[in-house]
């Protein structure tokens, strides 16, 4: 498990491009037949990827957590961006197809990731936060009918925003948040941009009460996203490629513009779960 420490906004102002990328960018999330995790001191989020190809992958706590099981004091959100697969939680198997997700509650001892087809492996993107109580484990479906232990994303949690004229026509799919899937503090979702649109989260904002991590994907080999970060009057940028993740402290804006339309997963951890609790920044005030 890789460790990332917190950062002061005063120090941030003096970072070079190399230092920005070292502190905030995770260049590779998915490794064949392995689980890659990053532990950030910012609100203690853990994020990363599990990519089972020829074998099943078990989630372990490692030395960093100092507990017998990864979820002894944590909760976990998962969204699959690869081929179809399964997640086995304490012996119960959940079929997790592409773009579906899961919330796995604190206290779950054994979590195992599997792919249906090694030629088209699942890519499970993971976000985990400290938890103080156990919430129900549930399979989250983006579409179709839900069975026992499953939920479908409600129509009101598929929010269409922006316009093609403003290059920001997008749909926000809210997987984990109050009223959809119960959690202690983790919120998680997937935003898809329509063809011809390249901007996400504009006008931009900060939210001092929670941090955020973005995973950008559905980008071509030569495409990139210009991810903007920093205080509103001290903005910087990080160039990001396909399936790369970036850490956003609570004091930082987080927005991006790509060379083409793309998809990204957002995960938030922190003080509250009010999705609209944000401090908007007018375009004219950005520097």
């Amino acid at each position: 498990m890789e460790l990332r420490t917190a950062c002061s906004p005063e120090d941030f102002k003096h970072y070079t491009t190399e230092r920005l990328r070292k502190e905030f960018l995770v260049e590779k999330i998915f490794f064949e037949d392995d689980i890659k995790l990053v532990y950030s001191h910012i609100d203690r989020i853990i994020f990363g990827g599990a990519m089972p190809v020829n074998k099943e992958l078990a989630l372990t706590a490692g030395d960093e957590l100092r507990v017998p099981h990864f979820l002894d004091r944590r909760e976990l959100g998962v969204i699959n961006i690869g081929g179809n697969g399964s997640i086995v939680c304490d012996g119960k198997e959940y079929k997790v197809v592409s773009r579906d997700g899961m919330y796995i509650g604190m206290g779950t001892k054994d979590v195992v990731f599997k792919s249906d087809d090694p030629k088209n492996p699942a890519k499970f993107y993971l976000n985990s936060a400290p938890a103080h109580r156990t919430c129900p484990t549930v399979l989250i479906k983006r579409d179709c009918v839900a069975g026992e232990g499953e939920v479908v994303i409600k129509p009101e949690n598929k929010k269409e925003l922006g316009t093609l004229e403003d290059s920001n026509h997008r749909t926000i799919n809210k997987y984990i948040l109050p009223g959809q899937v119960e959690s202690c503090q983790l919120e998680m979702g997937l935003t898809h941009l329509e063809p011809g649109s390249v901007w996400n989260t504009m006008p931009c904002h900060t939210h001092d009460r929670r941090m955020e991590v973005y995973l950008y994907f559905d980008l071509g080999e030569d495409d990139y996203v210009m991810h903007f970060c920093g205080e509103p009057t001290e903005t910087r940028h990080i160039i990001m490629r396909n399936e790369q993740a970036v850490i956003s402290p609570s004091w930082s804006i987080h927005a991006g513009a790509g060379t083409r339309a793309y998809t990204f997963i957002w995960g938030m951890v922190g003080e509250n779960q009010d999705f609209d609790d944000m401090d908007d920044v007018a375009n004219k005030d950005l520097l």
Side-chain angles (χ1 to χ4, degrees):
M1 192 182 300
E2 181 184 347
L3 178 67
R4 300 286 181 99
T5 56
C7 167
S8 161
E10 288 301 313
D11 292 339
F12 180 89
K13 297 175 184 179
H14 306 288
Y15 283 4
T16 62
T17 297
E18 181 182 6
R19 182 72 185 278
L20 277 175
R21 295 176 67 84
K22 179 181 178 181
E23 296 290 343
F24 300 105
L25 174 67
V26 180
E27 292 189 89
K28 190 171 178 60
I29 290 288
F30 298 106
F31 293 82
E32 290 190 9
D33 286 325
D34 201 2
I35 298 177
K36 156 80 174 184
L37 295 175
V38 176
Y39 185 121
S40 173
H41 280 184
I42 303 174
D43 283 311
R44 302 285 170 174
I45 192 171
I46 295 176
F47 63 97
M51 186 179 173
V53 180
N54 297 306
K55 63 180 182 179
E56 300 176 2
L57 300 177
L59 182 64
T60 59
D63 294 336
E64 292 81 3
L65 298 186
R66 305 287 176 92
V67 292
H69 308 98
F70 186 92
L71 294 175
D72 280 354
R73 295 197 298 266
R74 285 186 161 267
E75 58 186 354
L76 177 67
V78 184
I79 297 177
N80 179 11
I81 69 167
N84 296 341
S86 300
I87 302 177
V88 184
C89 301
D90 287 343
K92 182 176 180 179
E93 185 165 346
Y94 299 84
K95 291 292 185 181
V96 186
V97 304
S98 184
R99 301 304 196 263
D100 283 0
M102 277 198 74
Y103 172 83
I104 305 174
M106 183 186 75
T108 304
K109 291 181 172 55
D110 298 315
V111 179
V112 177
F113 302 98
K114 302 161 58 175
S115 289
D116 288 359
D117 182 0
K119 295 180 180 179
N120 183 26
K123 293 180 177 180
F124 298 106
Y125 178 62
L126 318 177
N127 280 186
S128 174
H132 61 276
R133 62 188 175 94
T134 298
C135 299
T137 293
V138 61
L139 175 64
I140 307 164
K141 294 186 173 184
R142 197 165 70 160
D143 298 297
C144 80
V145 179
E148 183 179 356
E150 304 174 353
V151 298
V152 176
I153 298 176
K154 299 175 181 178
E156 61 267 29
N157 287 327
K158 296 181 179 180
K159 192 171 184 180
E160 190 173 353
L161 294 174
T163 65
L164 182 59
E165 290 76 13
D166 289 330
S167 302
N168 65 353
H169 185 198
R170 62 201 189 275
T171 300
I172 302 175
N173 298 276
K174 302 174 183 178
Y175 285 59
I176 302 172
L177 82 169
Q180 176 64 54
V181 169
E182 182 183 12
S183 68
C184 286
Q185 62 167 313
L186 177 65
E187 294 184 302
M188 200 172 179
L190 180 152
T191 298
H192 173 73
L193 275 69
E194 298 299 327
S197 289
V198 297
W199 278 103
N200 73 69
T201 322
M202 288 300 289
C204 66
H205 59 263
T206 61
H207 28 66
D208 279 342
R209 289 144 297 279
R210 57 180 182 263
M211 62 84 69
E212 194 158 6
V213 174
Y214 277 6
L215 172 75
Y216 290 103
F217 62 105
D218 285 347
L219 286 161
E221 184 177 351
D222 293 328
D223 294 316
Y224 64 88
V225 172
M226 193 81 76
H227 178 84
F228 297 98
C229 52
E231 294 179 292
T233 56
E234 288 282 350
T235 57
R236 304 289 188 272
H237 72 269
I238 300 173
I239 291 179
M240 301 187 60
R241 307 291 177 175
N242 189 46
E243 296 182 359
Q244 294 184 340
V246 63
I247 301 168
S248 178
S250 57
W251 45 262
S252 175
I253 66 166
H254 35 282
T259 54
R260 49 156 290 174
Y262 51 91
T263 308
F264 68 100
I265 293 173
W266 44 269
M268 295 187 284
V269 172
E271 183 69 24
N272 66 30
Q273 293 184 298
D274 180 0
F275 183 85
D276 293 322
D277 179 17
M278 55 188 72
D279 301 308
D280 293 322
V281 180
N283 287 344
K284 64 181 179 62
D285 294 328
L286 287 171
L287 293 175

